[in-house]
Amino acid sequence: MAYTIPLDQQINLGGGNAITPDNQTPAGVDKLTYENEGGVGFARLHLVADNGMGGYYFGPRVDLPLAGIGPLDVGLPGSIIEFDARYYQEGATNATPYGDAPVGVGISDGKYTAWTKVLSFWHANDWQHISFDAGTYADWGFGDPTLLDRTHIVAISFWGTDWQGGGDDHVDFKSLRITTVPEPSTILLVGFGLIGMRVVRSLFKFRFDPIV
């Protein structure tokens, strides 16, 4: 089953905001905003002094239960996490624009988060489609993946670096999509259910068909 979060606006179903920056927003700076270009919306993380500028950035973070779709099981091969992203670095204030513009992903079970290594680099401000199989991924950059329960994922976050940023860089994200794979036993039960429905329909058809 596939679940899509457009990331074009905040989601709040009554339990709180589902899309947040990981760190506390500094006074006077709206670190996470929602933008629109040509009718297509996306989330923008501003790489400011306390999150990204001159170091690592973490965010935005998507809380799946607060978005109404979690927890999710991504423990089987074929469990795909994919999204579109682009990275802007301002040449006037970044000392080495596009010399350091990566994006990676963190997945959390609520108790532990494991972070992938860099999934993509940017050399210009263009959209890239990024995808990886969470069920088989093994090239983790931070954290011990053996501590992560991939069958109970409650949040997906993004990370990267902006070592030479001067506070005017940003990263955009849209169209987060998580595809889960049903357990073989679930597929078997569904199959038996469909067969059972056909048998019942056949029995009723036999019982009520008029004799000719």
Side-chain angles (χ1 to χ4, degrees), residues 1-7 72 79-84 129-132 156 174-180:
M1 183 173 291
Y3 305 86
T4 299
I5 301 176
L7 299 178
L72 295 180
S79 300
I80 306 299
I81 296 176
E82 56 190 314
F83 58 96
D84 294 335
H129 183 74
I130 301 167
S131 175
F132 70 101
I156 295 175
K174 66 179 180 180
S175 304
L176 174 62
R177 183 179 176 91
I178 307 107
T179 302
T180 60

Side-chain angles (χ1 to χ4, degrees), residues 43-86:
R44 172 167 293 173
L45 185 72
H46 300 267
L47 305 183
V48 293
D50 76 330
N51 190 48
M53 189 183 84
Y56 287 89
Y57 70 83
F58 294 94
R61 179 181 188 273
V62 182
D63 186 300
L64 300 178
L66 288 181
I69 62 170
L72 295 180
D73 182 351
V74 298
L76 292 175
S79 300
I80 306 299
I81 296 176
E82 56 190 314
F83 58 96
D84 294 335
R86 69 179 177 183

Side-chain angles (χ1 to χ4, degrees), residues 140-186:
W140 300 96
F142 307 95
D144 182 353
T146 64
L147 301 177
L148 179 71
D149 183 0
R150 298 192 211 192
T151 69
H152 189 86
I153 297 304
V154 299
I156 295 175
S157 303
F158 302 97
W159 78 273
T161 55
D162 189 36
W163 292 111
Q164 301 298 321
D168 299 311
D169 301 342
H170 59 255
V171 191
D172 298 333
F173 299 93
K174 66 179 180 180
S175 304
L176 174 62
R177 183 179 176 91
I178 307 107
T179 302
T180 60
V181 178
E183 294 280 355
S185 58
T186 302

